[in-house]
Amino acid sequence: MEPTYSAEAALVDLKERLRRLRTERRFSMSGLEMRAGVSHTTASQALNGPSVPSEATVIALAQALGTDATPLLTLRKQVVGAPAKGLRIHADLQFGTLAEDAAHEAMGTPVHVQHERDVLLKEVLVRVTVVNESRLPVQITAFVVEAWDNEALRSFDLLPEPLPTMVEPRSRIVLRVQKEPIDSLDAITFIGVVDGLGKRYGLLAEDVRALAAASWALPTRVIAARRRDDPSYMVAAFQTRTPVEMDQKPVPDGTNPPEVLATRTMLGLPVPDFLRLDELSQRTGNVEPE
C-alpha cells in the first residue's frame, strides 16, 4: 500500500522516482522523449520542473521506462486531489515519425527534432485523452479551443476521428488533432471537449498553460494572409486537417468575459507576425493561404 504524503512531498517523490528510473534504464533525456512520444518541454517539466505532469504524461513516461504506472499515478492523485466523478481531460503533444515526401499532407505539424547527432523530421499532434469515470455513457461531439479575441469569443469546434462517439463508463478514448487552432489564438479561455447535451469539460488551467506553451514554442503552419475577396483585410490562416466549425460571438451585455488562462505574454513568448495583423496590414507582399 502506498503511503500518504502531503501534496508537496508527493510531487517531490513522483519526480524523484521518474528521475531514478531514467538513470537506472540509462536513458538520455532525448531517448526518453522519443520512447514516450512527448516533447522535450513536457519530459523536462515532468522530471525536473515545478508543475504537476498530466496523467497522460505519467502513463507515457511509465510505459517508456518499462514500469507500472499505478504507483506513479497514485502519487500524482495525492498532489492534485481526487477528481470529481465524470469526464477527465488530459492533453499533451505527441511526436511521430514523418517521411519527407509526406510532410505536405500530414495532419500534424512537421518539425525537425535533434536526436543525438541526427536531425529527424517529426509530426507533432495534440493528443487528447478523455476518461469517463462516471457510471453512465457520455457522447462526445467535439474538441473545442476557445479564446478572447477583439471583445468576442472565438472558437474552433473540431471533429477528429472518432468523434462524435460514445465513451462508455470506466473507459477512455484518445483523440489526435492538429495544433494550429491553438497556435492561431492567443488569449485562450478554454481547451476541452463538449458532450451531446452541450456540457463542456475542460483542461485545468495549469494544463492549458503547459499545452499552449509547448505548442507555441514549436513551428506552426499558421500564416498571416490577405483575403482574396478583400486584400486590405488580413487574417491568421491555416489549412484544416479535420472537419471544423469556427465561430465568433460577443459576450452578452452584463456578462463577465471568461478568465484568460494562457497568453504568449503571460508565458514569456513573443507574439508572432500572424497575430499582429494591424501592423502587417500596412506592409505588402504577404502570402495568401493555399
Side-chain angles (χ1 to χ4, degrees):
M1 180 176 179
E2 291 289 327
T4 301
Y5 298 88
S6 67
E8 294 79 5
L11 183 60
V12 169
D13 193 4
L14 172 61
K15 292 175 181 289
E16 285 181 349
R17 291 192 190 193
L18 290 171
R19 290 195 297 268
R20 183 172 65 251
L21 286 165
R22 182 179 78 86
T23 300
E24 291 173 354
R25 303 298 189 268
R26 298 183 179 180
F27 289 166
S28 65
M29 281 298 293
S30 61
L32 177 59
E33 294 154 16
M34 291 282 290
R35 287 175 172 83
V38 300
S39 69
H40 172 73
T41 299
T42 298
S44 179
Q45 285 293 316
L47 272 67
N48 302 299
S51 60
V52 183
S54 70
E55 180 177 295
T57 296
V58 172
I59 292 172
L61 290 172
Q63 291 174 344
L65 291 164
T67 191
D68 182 8
T70 302
L72 300 174
L73 292 173
T74 299
L75 283 171
R76 183 185 181 276
K77 185 175 179 180
Q78 293 182 33
V79 178
V80 300
K85 297 300 181 183
L87 291 188
R88 288 191 293 114
I89 315 299
H90 310 283
D92 59 4
L93 297 184
Q94 182 179 39
F95 291 73
T97 302
L98 182 63
E100 291 282 353
D101 59 0
H104 183 70
E105 299 298 329
M107 176 183 290
T109 307
V111 299
H112 287 91
V113 177
Q114 183 75 39
H115 176 59
E116 297 178 352
R117 296 184 178 182
D118 298 321
V119 177
L120 305 177
L121 182 62
K122 294 289 184 179
E123 176 186 22
V124 183
L125 289 163
V126 179
R127 175 175 55 191
V128 184
T129 304
V130 182
V131 183
N132 184 2
E133 295 187 325
S134 73
R135 296 181 179 179
L136 298 173
V138 179
Q139 184 188 39
I140 303 302
T141 58
F143 173 71
V144 180
V145 182
E146 178 187 83
W148 185 241
D149 183 26
N150 293 325
E151 303 302 316
L153 284 175
R154 183 181 175 196
S155 64
F156 294 91
D157 289 21
L158 295 107
L159 281 77
E161 293 183 359
L163 297 188
T165 191
M166 196 71 72
V167 185
E168 297 298 329
R170 309 297 180 182
S171 66
R172 68 181 64 199
I173 60 169
V174 177
L175 313 174
R176 290 175 175 84
V177 298
Q178 65 186 115
K179 72 187 192 72
E180 276 69 27
I182 296 174
D183 295 341
S184 68
L185 302 173
D186 189 50
I188 292 181
T189 57
F190 178 84
I191 297 177
V193 298
V194 62
D195 69 14
L197 299 177
K199 184 176 180 180
R200 304 205 306 182
Y201 305 83
L203 295 176
L204 297 174
E206 59 265 29
D207 292 335
V208 169
R209 287 189 284 271
L211 179 63
S215 184
W216 291 341
L218 293 171
T220 183
R221 290 178 295 195
V222 181
I223 61 172
R226 295 187 184 277
R227 284 178 49 166
R228 290 188 174 93
D229 59 340
D230 183 1
S232 66
Y233 187 75
M234 298 193 69
V235 294
F238 62 93
Q239 286 187 332
T240 58
R241 305 296 188 180
T242 56
V244 59
E245 293 182 6
M246 293 174 278
D247 190 24
Q248 186 160 331
K249 54 189 177 184
V251 175
D253 292 340
T255 303
N256 292 327
E259 178 186 3
V260 173
L261 303 179
T263 68
R264 287 170 173 81
T265 300
M266 182 188 299
L267 298 171
L269 297 171
V271 177
D273 281 352
F274 58 74
L275 290 179
R276 296 187 286 111
L277 299 179
D278 289 341
E279 177 183 338
L280 289 177
S281 65
Q282 305 303 317
R283 306 179 187 175
T284 60
N286 290 282
V287 297
E288 295 181 344
E290 297 179 358

mmCIF file of all heavy atoms in Angstrom, residues 6-52:
data_model
loop_
_atom_site.group_PDB
_atom_site.id
_atom_site.type_symbol
_atom_site.label_atom_id
_atom_site.label_comp_id
_atom_site.label_asym_id
_atom_site.label_seq_id
_atom_site.Cartn_x
_atom_site.Cartn_y
_atom_site.Cartn_z
ATOM 1 N N SER A 6 1.904 14.650 2.003
ATOM 2 C CA SER A 6 1.367 15.954 1.664
ATOM 3 C C SER A 6 1.502 16.122 0.158
ATOM 4 O O SER A 6 2.251 15.395 -0.506
ATOM 5 C CB SER A 6 2.149 17.053 2.377
ATOM 6 O OG SER A 6 3.482 17.122 1.871
ATOM 7 N N ALA A 7 0.775 17.084 -0.421
ATOM 8 C CA ALA A 7 0.851 17.307 -1.862
ATOM 9 C C ALA A 7 2.273 17.626 -2.293
ATOM 10 O O ALA A 7 2.760 17.126 -3.316
ATOM 11 C CB ALA A 7 -0.091 18.437 -2.259
ATOM 12 N N GLU A 8 2.970 18.457 -1.500
ATOM 13 C CA GLU A 8 4.338 18.846 -1.846
ATOM 14 C C GLU A 8 5.277 17.639 -1.830
ATOM 15 O O GLU A 8 6.080 17.438 -2.740
ATOM 16 C CB GLU A 8 4.852 19.925 -0.887
ATOM 17 C CG GLU A 8 4.121 21.256 -0.981
ATOM 18 C CD GLU A 8 2.783 21.262 -0.265
ATOM 19 O OE1 GLU A 8 2.446 20.251 0.395
ATOM 20 O OE2 GLU A 8 2.069 22.270 -0.374
ATOM 21 N N ALA A 9 5.162 16.811 -0.775
ATOM 22 C CA ALA A 9 6.031 15.639 -0.658
ATOM 23 C C ALA A 9 5.727 14.620 -1.751
ATOM 24 O O ALA A 9 6.635 13.977 -2.291
ATOM 25 C CB ALA A 9 5.875 15.002 0.718
ATOM 26 N N ALA A 10 4.448 14.466 -2.106
ATOM 27 C CA ALA A 10 4.074 13.516 -3.156
ATOM 28 C C ALA A 10 4.655 13.940 -4.498
ATOM 29 O O ALA A 10 5.120 13.103 -5.281
ATOM 30 C CB ALA A 10 2.556 13.408 -3.244
ATOM 31 N N LEU A 11 4.654 15.250 -4.779
ATOM 32 C CA LEU A 11 5.215 15.741 -6.032
ATOM 33 C C LEU A 11 6.723 15.512 -6.086
ATOM 34 O O LEU A 11 7.266 15.084 -7.117
ATOM 35 C CB LEU A 11 4.900 17.228 -6.203
ATOM 36 C CG LEU A 11 5.364 17.862 -7.520
ATOM 37 C CD1 LEU A 11 4.721 17.166 -8.713
ATOM 38 C CD2 LEU A 11 5.034 19.361 -7.534
ATOM 39 N N VAL A 12 7.405 15.761 -4.977
ATOM 40 C CA VAL A 12 8.852 15.518 -4.914
ATOM 41 C C VAL A 12 9.147 14.044 -5.159
ATOM 42 O O VAL A 12 10.048 13.681 -5.936
ATOM 43 C CB VAL A 12 9.420 15.974 -3.553
ATOM 44 C CG1 VAL A 12 10.857 15.480 -3.378
ATOM 45 C CG2 VAL A 12 9.372 17.497 -3.439
ATOM 46 N N ASP A 13 8.390 13.162 -4.506
ATOM 47 C CA ASP A 13 8.603 11.721 -4.646
ATOM 48 C C ASP A 13 8.332 11.269 -6.077
ATOM 49 O O ASP A 13 9.080 10.453 -6.647
ATOM 50 C CB ASP A 13 7.708 10.966 -3.667
ATOM 51 C CG ASP A 13 8.106 9.488 -3.530
ATOM 52 O OD1 ASP A 13 9.120 9.079 -4.136
ATOM 53 O OD2 ASP A 13 7.409 8.762 -2.809
ATOM 54 N N LEU A 14 7.268 11.787 -6.686
ATOM 55 C CA LEU A 14 6.928 11.427 -8.060
ATOM 56 C C LEU A 14 8.082 11.746 -9.003
ATOM 57 O O LEU A 14 8.498 10.914 -9.821
ATOM 58 C CB LEU A 14 5.658 12.167 -8.485
ATOM 59 C CG LEU A 14 5.264 12.052 -9.966
ATOM 60 C CD1 LEU A 14 5.004 10.600 -10.345
ATOM 61 C CD2 LEU A 14 4.039 12.918 -10.252
ATOM 62 N N LYS A 15 8.616 12.946 -8.896
ATOM 63 C CA LYS A 15 9.692 13.365 -9.794
ATOM 64 C C LYS A 15 10.985 12.596 -9.506
ATOM 65 O O LYS A 15 11.733 12.252 -10.437
ATOM 66 C CB LYS A 15 9.896 14.874 -9.690
ATOM 67 C CG LYS A 15 8.714 15.668 -10.255
ATOM 68 C CD LYS A 15 8.852 17.151 -10.045
ATOM 69 C CE LYS A 15 7.638 17.878 -10.594
ATOM 70 N NZ LYS A 15 7.580 17.866 -12.071
ATOM 71 N N GLU A 16 11.255 12.323 -8.227
ATOM 72 C CA GLU A 16 12.460 11.553 -7.882
ATOM 73 C C GLU A 16 12.371 10.136 -8.450
ATOM 74 O O GLU A 16 13.376 9.584 -8.931
ATOM 75 C CB GLU A 16 12.639 11.503 -6.369
ATOM 76 C CG GLU A 16 13.152 12.824 -5.783
ATOM 77 C CD GLU A 16 13.351 12.742 -4.275
ATOM 78 O OE1 GLU A 16 12.895 11.744 -3.676
ATOM 79 O OE2 GLU A 16 13.947 13.673 -3.725
ATOM 80 N N ARG A 17 11.189 9.527 -8.405
ATOM 81 C CA ARG A 17 11.038 8.175 -8.952
ATOM 82 C C ARG A 17 11.261 8.170 -10.458
ATOM 83 O O ARG A 17 11.905 7.257 -10.999
ATOM 84 C CB ARG A 17 9.649 7.631 -8.622
ATOM 85 C CG ARG A 17 9.430 7.345 -7.151
ATOM 86 C CD ARG A 17 8.165 6.550 -6.931
ATOM 87 N NE ARG A 17 7.815 6.451 -5.527
ATOM 88 C CZ ARG A 17 6.912 5.615 -5.036
ATOM 89 N NH1 ARG A 17 6.267 4.792 -5.856
ATOM 90 N NH2 ARG A 17 6.624 5.597 -3.755
ATOM 91 N N LEU A 18 10.722 9.169 -11.155
ATOM 92 C CA LEU A 18 10.911 9.248 -12.595
ATOM 93 C C LEU A 18 12.388 9.439 -12.944
ATOM 94 O O LEU A 18 12.912 8.803 -13.868
ATOM 95 C CB LEU A 18 10.072 10.389 -13.179
ATOM 96 C CG LEU A 18 8.554 10.171 -13.177
ATOM 97 C CD1 LEU A 18 7.844 11.452 -13.571
ATOM 98 C CD2 LEU A 18 8.173 9.042 -14.130
ATOM 99 N N ARG A 19 13.065 10.308 -12.195
ATOM 100 C CA ARG A 19 14.497 10.537 -12.455
ATOM 101 C C ARG A 19 15.310 9.267 -12.171
ATOM 102 O O ARG A 19 16.227 8.921 -12.922
ATOM 103 C CB ARG A 19 15.008 11.700 -11.622
ATOM 104 C CG ARG A 19 14.474 13.063 -12.060
ATOM 105 C CD ARG A 19 15.292 14.186 -11.438
ATOM 106 N NE ARG A 19 15.200 14.200 -9.986
ATOM 107 C CZ ARG A 19 14.310 14.904 -9.302
ATOM 108 N NH1 ARG A 19 13.421 15.656 -9.948
ATOM 109 N NH2 ARG A 19 14.300 14.888 -7.976
ATOM 110 N N ARG A 20 14.964 8.572 -11.083
ATOM 111 C CA ARG A 20 15.701 7.360 -10.725
ATOM 112 C C ARG A 20 15.513 6.271 -11.785
ATOM 113 O O ARG A 20 16.466 5.584 -12.164
ATOM 114 C CB ARG A 20 15.257 6.858 -9.356
ATOM 115 C CG ARG A 20 16.044 5.624 -8.873
ATOM 116 C CD ARG A 20 15.726 5.269 -7.450
ATOM 117 N NE ARG A 20 14.353 4.845 -7.263
ATOM 118 C CZ ARG A 20 13.419 5.531 -6.641
ATOM 119 N NH1 ARG A 20 13.708 6.715 -6.106
ATOM 120 N NH2 ARG A 20 12.189 5.063 -6.511
ATOM 121 N N LEU A 21 14.295 6.135 -12.263
ATOM 122 C CA LEU A 21 14.030 5.140 -13.298
ATOM 123 C C LEU A 21 14.795 5.465 -14.580
ATOM 124 O O LEU A 21 15.333 4.568 -15.237
ATOM 125 C CB LEU A 21 12.525 5.081 -13.581
ATOM 126 C CG LEU A 21 11.675 4.386 -12.508
ATOM 127 C CD1 LEU A 21 10.202 4.709 -12.715
ATOM 128 C CD2 LEU A 21 11.902 2.876 -12.559
ATOM 129 N N ARG A 22 14.855 6.744 -14.936
ATOM 130 C CA ARG A 22 15.605 7.122 -16.142
ATOM 131 C C ARG A 22 17.084 6.779 -15.988
ATOM 132 O O ARG A 22 17.717 6.257 -16.918
ATOM 133 C CB ARG A 22 15.439 8.614 -16.439
ATOM 134 C CG ARG A 22 16.156 9.052 -17.713
ATOM 135 C CD ARG A 22 15.943 10.525 -17.993
ATOM 136 N NE ARG A 22 16.775 11.353 -17.157
ATOM 137 C CZ ARG A 22 18.037 11.691 -17.448
ATOM 138 N NH1 ARG A 22 18.628 11.228 -18.538
ATOM 139 N NH2 ARG A 22 18.715 12.481 -16.643
ATOM 140 N N THR A 23 17.618 7.049 -14.786
ATOM 141 C CA THR A 23 19.030 6.740 -14.531
ATOM 142 C C THR A 23 19.273 5.239 -14.573
ATOM 143 O O THR A 23 20.255 4.769 -15.175
ATOM 144 C CB THR A 23 19.455 7.298 -13.161
ATOM 145 O OG1 THR A 23 19.283 8.717 -13.155
ATOM 146 C CG2 THR A 23 20.916 6.982 -12.874
ATOM 147 N N GLU A 24 18.370 4.460 -13.954
ATOM 148 C CA GLU A 24 18.526 3.002 -13.942
ATOM 149 C C GLU A 24 18.450 2.411 -15.350
ATOM 150 O O GLU A 24 19.150 1.445 -15.664
ATOM 151 C CB GLU A 24 17.456 2.383 -13.056
ATOM 152 C CG GLU A 24 17.642 2.682 -11.565
ATOM 153 C CD GLU A 24 16.478 2.191 -10.724
ATOM 154 O OE1 GLU A 24 15.470 1.714 -11.311
ATOM 155 O OE2 GLU A 24 16.556 2.286 -9.500
ATOM 156 N N ARG A 25 17.612 3.002 -16.202
ATOM 157 C CA ARG A 25 17.477 2.500 -17.571
ATOM 158 C C ARG A 25 18.578 3.040 -18.481
ATOM 159 O O ARG A 25 18.692 2.639 -19.636
ATOM 160 C CB ARG A 25 16.112 2.889 -18.155
ATOM 161 C CG ARG A 25 14.896 2.420 -17.357
ATOM 162 C CD ARG A 25 14.808 0.921 -17.254
ATOM 163 N NE ARG A 25 13.542 0.514 -16.679
ATOM 164 C CZ ARG A 25 13.319 0.304 -15.380
ATOM 165 N NH1 ARG A 25 14.315 0.495 -14.503
ATOM 166 N NH2 ARG A 25 12.129 -0.069 -14.945
ATOM 167 N N ARG A 26 19.352 3.967 -17.961
ATOM 168 C CA ARG A 26 20.443 4.598 -18.717
ATOM 169 C C ARG A 26 19.930 5.271 -19.986
ATOM 170 O O ARG A 26 20.563 5.228 -21.046
ATOM 171 C CB ARG A 26 21.529 3.568 -19.053
ATOM 172 C CG ARG A 26 22.191 2.963 -17.818
ATOM 173 C CD ARG A 26 23.315 2.013 -18.198
ATOM 174 N NE ARG A 26 23.966 1.464 -17.002
ATOM 175 C CZ ARG A 26 24.981 0.602 -17.034
ATOM 176 N NH1 ARG A 26 25.481 0.198 -18.203
ATOM 177 N NH2 ARG A 26 25.511 0.154 -15.908
ATOM 178 N N PHE A 27 18.782 5.935 -19.857
ATOM 179 C CA PHE A 27 18.207 6.673 -20.968
ATOM 180 C C PHE A 27 18.682 8.121 -20.913
ATOM 181 O O PHE A 27 18.663 8.749 -19.844
ATOM 182 C CB PHE A 27 16.682 6.685 -20.907
ATOM 183 C CG PHE A 27 16.024 5.371 -21.212
ATOM 184 C CD1 PHE A 27 14.690 5.173 -20.919
ATOM 185 C CD2 PHE A 27 16.724 4.332 -21.799
ATOM 186 C CE1 PHE A 27 14.074 3.967 -21.188
ATOM 187 C CE2 PHE A 27 16.130 3.131 -22.078
ATOM 188 C CZ PHE A 27 14.800 2.934 -21.769
ATOM 189 N N SER A 28 19.066 8.665 -22.047
ATOM 190 C CA SER A 28 19.250 10.112 -22.136
ATOM 191 C C SER A 28 17.869 10.763 -22.144
ATOM 192 O O SER A 28 16.856 10.098 -22.377
ATOM 193 C CB SER A 28 20.002 10.478 -23.418
ATOM 194 O OG SER A 28 19.217 10.142 -24.551
ATOM 195 N N MET A 29 17.823 12.079 -21.902
ATOM 196 C CA MET A 29 16.531 12.752 -21.941
ATOM 197 C C MET A 29 15.916 12.647 -23.337
ATOM 198 O O MET A 29 14.716 12.404 -23.482
ATOM 199 C CB MET A 29 16.678 14.223 -21.538
ATOM 200 C CG MET A 29 16.774 14.449 -20.031
ATOM 201 S SD MET A 29 15.281 13.894 -19.132
ATOM 202 C CE MET A 29 14.067 15.066 -19.728
ATOM 203 N N SER A 30 16.737 12.818 -24.368
ATOM 204 C CA SER A 30 16.201 12.727 -25.727
ATOM 205 C C SER A 30 15.705 11.319 -26.016
ATOM 206 O O SER A 30 14.684 11.124 -26.688
ATOM 207 C CB SER A 30 17.255 13.150 -26.748
ATOM 208 O OG SER A 30 18.389 12.302 -26.686
ATOM 209 N N GLY A 31 16.408 10.307 -25.479
ATOM 210 C CA GLY A 31 15.964 8.938 -25.671
ATOM 211 C C GLY A 31 14.636 8.668 -24.983
ATOM 212 O O GLY A 31 13.751 8.005 -25.537
ATOM 213 N N LEU A 32 14.481 9.194 -23.774
ATOM 214 C CA LEU A 32 13.216 9.038 -23.051
ATOM 215 C C LEU A 32 12.085 9.737 -23.785
ATOM 216 O O LEU A 32 10.978 9.200 -23.910
ATOM 217 C CB LEU A 32 13.363 9.592 -21.634
ATOM 218 C CG LEU A 32 12.095 9.576 -20.765
ATOM 219 C CD1 LEU A 32 11.566 8.157 -20.599
ATOM 220 C CD2 LEU A 32 12.377 10.206 -19.401
ATOM 221 N N GLU A 33 12.348 10.947 -24.282
ATOM 222 C CA GLU A 33 11.322 11.700 -25.012
ATOM 223 C C GLU A 33 10.861 10.935 -26.250
ATOM 224 O O GLU A 33 9.650 10.882 -26.544
ATOM 225 C CB GLU A 33 11.883 13.071 -25.414
ATOM 226 C CG GLU A 33 12.194 13.987 -24.234
ATOM 227 C CD GLU A 33 13.272 15.000 -24.548
ATOM 228 O OE1 GLU A 33 13.573 15.218 -25.747
ATOM 229 O OE2 GLU A 33 13.827 15.572 -23.593
ATOM 230 N N MET A 34 11.823 10.358 -26.972
ATOM 231 C CA MET A 34 11.479 9.606 -28.179
ATOM 232 C C MET A 34 10.623 8.390 -27.840
ATOM 233 O O MET A 34 9.613 8.116 -28.506
ATOM 234 C CB MET A 34 12.764 9.156 -28.881
ATOM 235 C CG MET A 34 13.570 10.280 -29.504
ATOM 236 S SD MET A 34 12.868 10.823 -31.073
ATOM 237 C CE MET A 34 13.244 9.412 -32.099
ATOM 238 N N ARG A 35 11.013 7.654 -26.793
ATOM 239 C CA ARG A 35 10.270 6.436 -26.431
ATOM 240 C C ARG A 35 8.871 6.762 -25.930
ATOM 241 O O ARG A 35 7.923 6.012 -26.168
ATOM 242 C CB ARG A 35 11.049 5.656 -25.369
ATOM 243 C CG ARG A 35 12.294 4.962 -25.902
ATOM 244 C CD ARG A 35 13.083 4.308 -24.764
ATOM 245 N NE ARG A 35 14.175 3.476 -25.262
ATOM 246 C CZ ARG A 35 15.360 3.938 -25.609
ATOM 247 N NH1 ARG A 35 15.615 5.250 -25.502
ATOM 248 N NH2 ARG A 35 16.307 3.137 -26.062
ATOM 249 N N ALA A 36 8.737 7.883 -25.209
ATOM 250 C CA ALA A 36 7.435 8.249 -24.636
ATOM 251 C C ALA A 36 6.568 9.008 -25.624
ATOM 252 O O ALA A 36 5.355 9.137 -25.414
ATOM 253 C CB ALA A 36 7.647 9.081 -23.366
ATOM 254 N N GLY A 37 7.168 9.548 -26.683
ATOM 255 C CA GLY A 37 6.408 10.331 -27.644
ATOM 256 C C GLY A 37 5.953 11.665 -27.091
ATOM 257 O O GLY A 37 4.859 12.148 -27.413
ATOM 258 N N VAL A 38 6.787 12.291 -26.216
ATOM 259 C CA VAL A 38 6.455 13.587 -25.638
ATOM 260 C C VAL A 38 7.540 14.590 -26.009
ATOM 261 O O VAL A 38 8.652 14.220 -26.389
ATOM 262 C CB VAL A 38 6.300 13.524 -24.102
ATOM 263 C CG1 VAL A 38 5.195 12.548 -23.724
ATOM 264 C CG2 VAL A 38 7.615 13.126 -23.433
ATOM 265 N N SER A 39 7.222 15.873 -25.885
ATOM 266 C CA SER A 39 8.182 16.913 -26.222
ATOM 267 C C SER A 39 9.251 17.040 -25.141
ATOM 268 O O SER A 39 9.099 16.545 -24.018
ATOM 269 C CB SER A 39 7.464 18.256 -26.380
ATOM 270 O OG SER A 39 6.988 18.710 -25.122
ATOM 271 N N HIS A 40 10.337 17.727 -25.493
ATOM 272 C CA HIS A 40 11.404 17.971 -24.514
ATOM 273 C C HIS A 40 10.863 18.757 -23.329
ATOM 274 O O HIS A 40 11.189 18.461 -22.172
ATOM 275 C CB HIS A 40 12.552 18.736 -25.176
ATOM 276 C CG HIS A 40 13.606 19.186 -24.195
ATOM 277 N ND1 HIS A 40 14.504 18.306 -23.618
ATOM 278 C CD2 HIS A 40 13.875 20.417 -23.670
ATOM 279 C CE1 HIS A 40 15.295 18.974 -22.788
ATOM 280 N NE2 HIS A 40 14.932 20.246 -22.807
ATOM 281 N N THR A 41 10.028 19.772 -23.606
ATOM 282 C CA THR A 41 9.475 20.590 -22.518
ATOM 283 C C THR A 41 8.632 19.751 -21.574
ATOM 284 O O THR A 41 8.744 19.862 -20.347
ATOM 285 C CB THR A 41 8.630 21.737 -23.097
ATOM 286 O OG1 THR A 41 9.464 22.565 -23.916
ATOM 287 C CG2 THR A 41 8.020 22.583 -21.978
ATOM 288 N N THR A 42 7.784 18.880 -22.141
ATOM 289 C CA THR A 42 6.910 18.042 -21.314
ATOM 290 C C THR A 42 7.722 17.111 -20.426
ATOM 291 O O THR A 42 7.470 16.985 -19.224
ATOM 292 C CB THR A 42 5.959 17.223 -22.199
ATOM 293 O OG1 THR A 42 5.124 18.117 -22.944
ATOM 294 C CG2 THR A 42 5.088 16.302 -21.367
ATOM 295 N N ALA A 43 8.732 16.434 -21.008
ATOM 296 C CA ALA A 43 9.549 15.496 -20.227
ATOM 297 C C ALA A 43 10.370 16.229 -19.173
ATOM 298 O O ALA A 43 10.480 15.782 -18.022
ATOM 299 C CB ALA A 43 10.465 14.709 -21.155
ATOM 300 N N SER A 44 10.957 17.370 -19.553
ATOM 301 C CA SER A 44 11.784 18.123 -18.611
ATOM 302 C C SER A 44 10.963 18.623 -17.428
ATOM 303 O O SER A 44 11.398 18.546 -16.271
ATOM 304 C CB SER A 44 12.448 19.298 -19.329
ATOM 305 O OG SER A 44 13.235 20.062 -18.434
ATOM 306 N N GLN A 45 9.753 19.131 -17.712
ATOM 307 C CA GLN A 45 8.892 19.600 -16.628
ATOM 308 C C GLN A 45 8.450 18.446 -15.737
ATOM 309 O O GLN A 45 8.354 18.588 -14.518
ATOM 310 C CB GLN A 45 7.665 20.317 -17.205
ATOM 311 C CG GLN A 45 7.941 21.701 -17.736
ATOM 312 C CD GLN A 45 8.308 22.668 -16.629
ATOM 313 O OE1 GLN A 45 7.685 22.701 -15.574
ATOM 314 N NE2 GLN A 45 9.343 23.464 -16.859
ATOM 315 N N ALA A 46 8.168 17.285 -16.339
ATOM 316 C CA ALA A 46 7.710 16.138 -15.556
ATOM 317 C C ALA A 46 8.784 15.651 -14.592
ATOM 318 O O ALA A 46 8.483 15.266 -13.453
ATOM 319 C CB ALA A 46 7.295 15.003 -16.487
ATOM 320 N N LEU A 47 10.056 15.678 -15.010
ATOM 321 C CA LEU A 47 11.137 15.156 -14.173
ATOM 322 C C LEU A 47 11.765 16.214 -13.285
ATOM 323 O O LEU A 47 12.212 15.907 -12.167
ATOM 324 C CB LEU A 47 12.225 14.520 -15.039
ATOM 325 C CG LEU A 47 12.043 13.030 -15.375
ATOM 326 C CD1 LEU A 47 10.839 12.820 -16.286
ATOM 327 C CD2 LEU A 47 13.296 12.467 -16.027
ATOM 328 N N ASN A 48 11.797 17.463 -13.757
ATOM 329 C CA ASN A 48 12.581 18.471 -13.038
ATOM 330 C C ASN A 48 11.851 19.778 -12.756
ATOM 331 O O ASN A 48 12.341 20.581 -11.963
ATOM 332 C CB ASN A 48 13.850 18.802 -13.851
ATOM 333 C CG ASN A 48 14.698 17.584 -14.113
ATOM 334 O OD1 ASN A 48 15.174 16.940 -13.195
ATOM 335 N ND2 ASN A 48 14.882 17.247 -15.392
ATOM 336 N N GLY A 49 10.728 20.017 -13.404
ATOM 337 C CA GLY A 49 10.054 21.302 -13.250
ATOM 338 C C GLY A 49 9.136 21.356 -12.043
ATOM 339 O O GLY A 49 8.904 20.351 -11.366
ATOM 340 N N PRO A 50 8.567 22.543 -11.779
ATOM 341 C CA PRO A 50 7.694 22.702 -10.613
ATOM 342 C C PRO A 50 6.251 22.254 -10.839
ATOM 343 O O PRO A 50 5.489 22.100 -9.893
ATOM 344 C CB PRO A 50 7.744 24.219 -10.365
ATOM 345 C CG PRO A 50 7.983 24.805 -11.724
ATOM 346 C CD PRO A 50 8.860 23.816 -12.449
ATOM 347 N N SER A 51 5.843 22.058 -12.110
ATOM 348 C CA SER A 51 4.449 21.754 -12.399
ATOM 349 C C SER A 51 4.146 20.271 -12.233
ATOM 350 O O SER A 51 5.038 19.426 -12.206
ATOM 351 C CB SER A 51 4.099 22.194 -13.825
ATOM 352 O OG SER A 51 4.907 21.525 -14.756
ATOM 353 N N VAL A 52 2.854 19.968 -12.137
ATOM 354 C CA VAL A 52 2.392 18.585 -11.984
ATOM 355 C C VAL A 52 2.187 17.978 -13.373
ATOM 356 O O VAL A 52 1.425 18.528 -14.172
ATOM 357 C CB VAL A 52 1.073 18.522 -11.191
ATOM 358 C CG1 VAL A 52 0.638 17.076 -10.984
ATOM 359 C CG2 VAL A 52 1.212 19.242 -9.866
#
